[in-house]
Amino acid sequence: MHRINYKHLQYFHSVATEGSIQLAAIRLNVTPQTISGQLKMLEEDLGVALFAKSGRGLELTDAGRVALDYSRQIFQLGDELQEVMNLGITERPTEFRVGIVDALPKSIAHRLLSPAMSLPGTMRIVCHEEQMSVLLGELAVHRLDLVLADSPIPPGMNIRCFNHLLGRSRLACFASSGLIQQQGNQKFPDVLNEAPVLLPTDTASGLRTDLLSWFNRTGIAVRIAGEFDDSALLKAFGSQGHGYFFAPDVIREEICAKYQVQCVGTVHELMQEFYAISAERRISHQAVAAITRQTPLGEIN
């Protein structure tokens, strides 16, 4: 087996990202015939077809999608090499790949990551935001070093990963001043009765189930006015008066200042927990170790 010709790989990467040979040729300032010939040679070297015809265009085959994933990593490393050399850095930066569940508040994620960011040496952090099931799949095949989530690994998931509780916070309820005025002078939680409420989707967070159970126990009949995968988008809608919403009490002041909303009450019965999930019990990555051995939030009473 001889080594891949990286010029051929560059042409493949350009076609895959641009979506056509013609656009890739324009970007690389070469003829389409040149790219077609180089792609054919790469496919012969690899022994697989990387593209299949789809109408007038091309689409990646299964092998092509795998090759694209590898090529992205290869050229990302090349960019990193160039940056390190230009900056005169004599030590290769440690890469820390983190998956963040999209329902987790961004400021909470930043706090949880803070122990890793203060480590000595040069580190490059790469954050991906997605639903938990997707991130756990990436963690299981070691494409991520850590996943930050607002709940432990769901039961029934056939993966070998480990939960690390980092902290917890009671839930607080927020609303815009305009919505509060519309509801009159009722006290919390009665103010929520027949009021619009914004919730995370059932795939985004276990918080939704806890809240619905709490509404049922307290006899509060809410009107679900919106459901969101992304916690920041949920808060943005809440800031415009579209409904009451819930978030960790530990970031109450930040939410009130950023979204210009008011805290109307605290749900003392409900606690939101925050987890780091790793793929190994005995942790070797220094950034993962720094995060899992500390509790940046602690317990909020």
Side-chain angles (χ1 to χ4, degrees), residues 25 28 32 38 79 85 91 97 118 121 136 158 164 176 190 202 205 214 216 221 230 247 271 274 284 299:
L28 297 173
Q38 303 287 343
D79 293 340
M85 293 296 104
E91 179 184 0
R97 301 162 298 172
S118 59
L136 291 180
N158 188 26
H164 308 271
S176 67
D190 295 334
D202 54 0
S205 173
W214 178 70
N216 185 58
D230 183 82
M271 298 285 288
F274 310 103
S284 57
E299 181 168 347

Side-chain angles (χ1 to χ4, degrees), residues 31-300:
T31 66
Q33 293 78 10
T34 298
I35 291 183
S36 295
Q38 303 287 343
L39 281 179
K40 184 178 180 181
M41 294 173 67
L42 178 62
E43 290 179 326
E44 289 175 352
D45 286 343
L46 296 176
V48 293
L50 301 175
F51 292 99
K53 289 186 177 180
S54 177
R56 295 184 177 181
L58 295 174
E59 64 178 16
L60 287 166
T61 62
D62 290 342
R65 282 186 282 272
V66 173
L68 178 59
D69 187 36
Y70 274 100
S71 69
R72 283 172 175 159
Q73 295 179 51
I74 289 169
F75 292 119
Q76 181 181 349
L77 282 173
D79 293 340
E80 180 184 319
L81 170 63
Q82 189 172 25
E83 179 183 346
V84 167
M85 293 296 104
N86 288 340
L87 293 176
I89 298 174
T90 57
E91 179 184 0
R92 181 180 175 182
T94 300
E95 186 172 84
F96 181 34
R97 301 162 298 172
V98 185
I100 301 173
V101 172
D102 43 20
L104 187 70
K106 309 300 182 290
S107 56
I108 293 287
H110 181 263
R111 292 193 196 190
L112 297 177
L113 290 171
S114 61
M117 304 308 296
S118 59
L119 289 172
T122 306
M123 185 178 67
R124 180 192 299 268
I125 185 168
V126 181
C127 293
H128 298 283
E129 191 176 36
E130 250 296 356
Q131 295 183 5
M132 182 184 280
S133 59
V134 176
L135 294 177
L136 291 180
E138 295 289 291
L139 181 67
V141 296
H142 303 288
R143 290 179 179 171
L144 294 174
D145 299 307
L146 190 72
V147 169
L148 296 181
D150 60 347
S151 62
I153 302 167
M157 288 203 71
N158 188 26
I159 58 171
R160 184 176 173 80
C161 295
F162 303 93
N163 297 311
H164 308 271
L165 178 63
L166 299 182
R168 51 171 63 90
S169 172
R170 301 192 193 283
L171 286 178
C173 182
F174 301 87
S176 67
S177 56
L179 181 57
I180 294 172
Q181 291 173 7
Q182 290 176 25
Q183 297 300 113
N185 296 320
Q186 299 180 74
K187 293 184 178 180
F188 182 83
D190 295 334
V191 69
L192 298 175
N193 205 36
E194 299 184 0
V197 171
L198 308 176
L199 295 177
T201 62
D202 54 0
T203 58
S205 173
L207 174 62
R208 175 194 175 92
T209 301
D210 293 340
L211 284 170
L212 290 176
S213 297
W214 178 70
F215 294 146
N216 185 58
R217 291 195 306 271
T218 54
I220 296 173
V222 301
R223 176 171 60 87
I224 300 177
E227 303 177 52
F228 303 84
D229 285 333
D230 183 82
S231 62
L233 184 59
L234 185 153
K235 295 180 183 68
F237 270 71
S239 71
Q240 297 302 308
H242 294 293
Y244 290 84
F245 64 95
F246 297 81
D249 189 58
V250 68
I251 53 172
R252 176 196 298 194
E253 293 183 4
E254 176 186 328
I255 290 175
C256 290
K258 182 176 181 179
Y259 294 98
Q260 297 297 297
V261 293
Q262 299 176 37
C263 178
V264 298
T266 303
V267 186
H268 295 284
E269 302 95 308
L270 297 182
M271 298 285 288
Q272 186 170 14
E273 296 180 330
F274 310 103
Y275 288 86
I277 303 174
S278 67
E280 52 186 2
R281 188 185 296 276
R282 298 185 64 181
I283 296 168
S284 57
H285 196 295
Q286 62 173 346
V288 177
I291 290 170
T292 55
R293 69 170 169 251
Q294 298 189 46
T295 52
L297 297 180
E299 181 168 347
I300 309 302

